Amino acid sequence: MSKKEQIVKVASKYFSEVGYDKATLDDVAKEVGVSKAAIYYHFKDKFALYEAVLCSRFKDLAQTICEIDVLVPIKALREYVEKFGNFLLENPCFSAIFAREMADGAMNMPQSCTEQMSQILKKLSAILQEGEAQGVFEKENPFMVQLMIVSTLVNYRTTRKLRITVMKNLNEIKNIDAGLKDIIPNLANKIIKALQC
Amino acid sequence: MSKKEQIVKVASKYFSEVGYDKATLDDVAKEVGVSKAAIYYHFKDKFALYEAVLCSRFKDLAQTICEIDVLVPIKALREYVEKFGNFLLENPCFSAIFAREMADGAMNMPQSCTEQMSQILKKLSAILQEGEAQGVFEKENPFMVQLMIVSTLVNYRTTRKLRITVMKNLNEIKNIDAGLKDIIPNLANKIIKALQC
DNA sequence: CTCTATTTACTTACTCGTCAGTAAGTTTAG
DNA sequence: CTAAACTTACTGACGAGTAAGTAAATAGAG
């Protein structure tokens, strides 16, 4: 792996763990084993590094989502939830970054990523419309449906520690906390059920 | 309103708008019309001010949620969603703070607030269990249900600008973006439908 | 083929702004 | 008179960004 790729990888870890602002380039540089100035050799500034972290992954996500075939809406919706979920599983750094972007109104979201997000939502919109046309789904606000899926998945990941703390508070230690992997099909079923006529 | 209360009010605005880290006490002091040191007269440090901002509101939220009568589970679940939603409407600063806390795993969440959250979840758990006992709801993971409700509502607020940008990208300008107020009953219906046997 | 010029990929050692937090002094209310 | 409620003016740390220098690879001219 090139130094540049290593920088992106380590940076994505820090951005994920502590957020854009608290992530310091000194730390990233230290962990990669280069000087901070080396980062500035490869990237214009901190934000450009953040962009590099986000954009490639977003592109991948938009890619797989766009492959979904709309024709059988219920199946397509299940696929949508599963693909999103699996993406988060395969890109563990992403949940936190995504969640933070949603939390602060996508303030740091690079434009290209916003465009990818639009494509993703467009697909969901198409699934819902096809479902409506076929009489299997009711008319829906696609933004809300999107949030019911995405924010649930993303925040399920980020709130793991909180859930464990809360479980202790409620003395429900028996109830072993389910991982995201187990949640995905469950959420898919719930969403489908919620939207069906 | 006392100076101390004014500080809390203005601080909650800044914490909400830019997050804990980017919110500066200099800005808060300036807007209140006191010196920064005045804040330190009333609060031990920045985190103590944040605690003050969070705790009182969380207490209120836990209060109303706890008033819900569990006996008719479907009604209770609708009330749960509505009370949460109305709380966010009445406390506009809260969505962003809440969303950020969820996004970074409740890293800055004061313990007392975590306890309030436990109480809130306990109520939802009770509603779901009563529903299960009465045979109206299926057995559920209360954490996931909680997230489907809370993260959807909270992020619906925080992503308003993003939604508008995305709408422009998709040329769906006709589709006027619905406010949180209109979303609440809709979400309540969806959640109930998703959980019903 | 080899000597020089240039570019690539960095390093060291700094600056500069920002911001939490503080020490010490001052005003105001009871 | 004294305690509460401040203010002014500062410190100290941290972190983004930079200037200037360097070693090694590569290209190009003779």
Side-chain angles (χ1 to χ4, degrees):
Chain A
M1 213 193 306
S2 72
K3 278 277 148 69
K4 192 173 176 180
E5 286 168 313
Q6 280 180 61
I7 291 167
V8 170
K9 197 178 169 186
V10 172
S12 71
K13 201 194 79 178
Y14 278 95
F15 285 140
S16 161
E17 279 173 5
V18 297
Y20 181 79
D21 292 306
K22 272 189 179 165
T24 75
L25 299 188
D26 286 297
D27 285 345
V28 173
K30 207 173 169 185
E31 189 166 325
V32 174
V34 295
S35 69
K36 180 167 59 172
I39 297 176
Y40 283 90
Y41 174 74
H42 290 291
F43 301 95
K44 188 177 140 271
D45 53 21
K46 191 181 180 184
F47 185 70
L49 176 56
Y50 186 67
E51 269 185 307
V53 166
L54 273 186
C55 291
S56 71
R57 305 288 75 215
F58 253 102
K59 211 178 151 191
D60 281 7
L61 175 62
Q63 183 72 43
T64 30
I65 293 288
C66 281
E67 280 167 9
I68 296 173
D69 184 2
V70 169
L71 267 171
V72 186
I74 290 180
K75 197 182 147 223
L77 188 54
R78 170 165 286 115
E79 240 180 288
Y80 188 88
V81 176
E82 281 168 358
K83 285 199 168 192
F84 226 110
N86 289 329
F87 175 79
L88 295 179
L89 281 173
E90 285 157 22
N91 298 276
C93 292
F94 253 70
S95 298
I97 293 176
F98 214 133
R100 287 202 187 85
E101 281 296 342
M102 285 199 291
D104 60 14
M107 248 173 50
N108 296 325
M109 184 88 88
Q111 208 194 329
S112 72
C113 294
T114 314
E115 280 158 22
Q116 310 277 16
M117 284 207 58
S118 303
Q119 290 311 308
I120 292 168
L121 184 74
K122 198 175 190 169
K123 179 57 83 170
L124 178 64
S125 232
I127 295 171
L128 297 180
Q129 263 174 42
E130 183 62 28
E132 205 188 323
Q134 292 184 21
V136 290
F137 291 154
E138 302 201 42
K139 187 171 174 57
E140 290 306 336
N141 177 334
F143 292 121
M144 200 189 81
V145 177
Q146 170 85 328
L147 277 182
M148 284 179 74
I149 299 167
V150 176
S151 74
T152 303
L153 289 174
V154 155
N155 283 295
Y156 195 82
R157 279 234 119 169
T158 60
T159 55
R160 186 164 176 272
K161 278 183 191 170
L162 183 62
R163 289 199 308 276
I164 289 169
T165 309
V166 164
M167 279 203 305
K168 278 182 193 157
N169 278 347
L170 299 180
N171 292 320
E172 292 213 17
I173 310 160
K174 46 180 183 174
N175 229 325
I176 295 160
D177 189 45
L180 179 60
K181 208 179 155 190
D182 307 305
I183 289 296
I184 296 168
N186 190 4
L187 180 65
N189 287 334
K190 297 267 164 309
I191 296 288
I192 289 167
K193 211 167 151 192
L195 301 189
Q196 261 178 327
C197 285
Chain B
M1 213 191 309
S2 73
K3 278 276 148 70
K4 192 174 177 179
E5 286 169 314
Q6 279 180 64
I7 290 167
V8 170
K9 196 178 171 186
V10 172
S12 71
K13 201 192 81 179
Y14 277 96
F15 286 140
S16 161
E17 278 172 5
V18 297
Y20 181 80
D21 293 306
K22 272 188 178 164
T24 76
L25 299 187
D26 286 297
D27 285 345
V28 173
K30 206 173 170 185
E31 189 165 325
V32 174
V34 295
S35 69
K36 181 167 58 169
I39 297 177
Y40 281 88
Y41 174 75
H42 290 290
F43 302 95
K44 185 177 142 274
D45 52 22
K46 192 182 179 183
F47 185 71
L49 176 56
Y50 186 67
E51 269 186 305
V53 166
L54 273 185
C55 292
S56 72
R57 304 289 75 216
F58 254 101
K59 209 177 151 192
D60 281 9
L61 175 61
Q63 181 73 43
T64 30
I65 293 289
C66 282
E67 281 167 9
I68 296 173
D69 184 1
V70 169
L71 267 171
V72 186
I74 292 180
K75 197 182 147 222
L77 188 55
R78 170 165 285 115
E79 241 180 288
Y80 187 89
V81 176
E82 280 167 358
K83 285 198 169 190
F84 226 111
N86 288 330
F87 174 79
L88 295 178
L89 282 173
E90 283 157 24
N91 298 275
C93 293
F94 252 69
S95 299
I97 293 176
F98 213 133
R100 286 199 188 88
E101 283 296 340
M102 285 199 290
D104 59 15
M107 251 174 46
N108 296 325
M109 184 89 88
Q111 207 195 330
S112 72
C113 293
T114 315
E115 280 157 22
Q116 310 278 13
M117 282 206 60
S118 303
Q119 290 311 307
I120 292 168
L121 184 73
K122 197 175 190 170
K123 179 56 86 170
L124 178 63
S125 232
I127 295 171
L128 297 180
Q129 263 175 41
E130 182 64 27
E132 205 187 324
Q134 292 184 20
V136 289
F137 290 154
E138 303 200 42
K139 187 169 173 57
E140 291 305 339
N141 178 334
F143 293 121
M144 200 188 82
V145 178
Q146 170 84 328
L147 277 181
M148 284 179 75
I149 298 167
V150 176
S151 74
T152 302
L153 288 173
V154 156
N155 283 296
Y156 195 83
R157 279 233 118 169
T158 59
T159 55
R160 186 163 175 273
K161 277 183 192 171
L162 183 62
R163 289 199 307 276
I164 290 169
T165 309
V166 165
M167 280 203 305
K168 277 182 194 159
N169 278 347
L170 299 180
N171 292 321
E172 291 214 15
I173 311 160
K174 47 186 179 171
N175 228 326
I176 295 160
D177 189 45
L180 179 61
K181 208 179 156 192
D182 306 306
I183 288 296
I184 296 168
N186 191 4
L187 180 65
N189 287 333
K190 297 267 164 308
I191 296 287
I192 288 167
K193 212 168 152 192
L195 301 189
Q196 261 178 326
C197 285

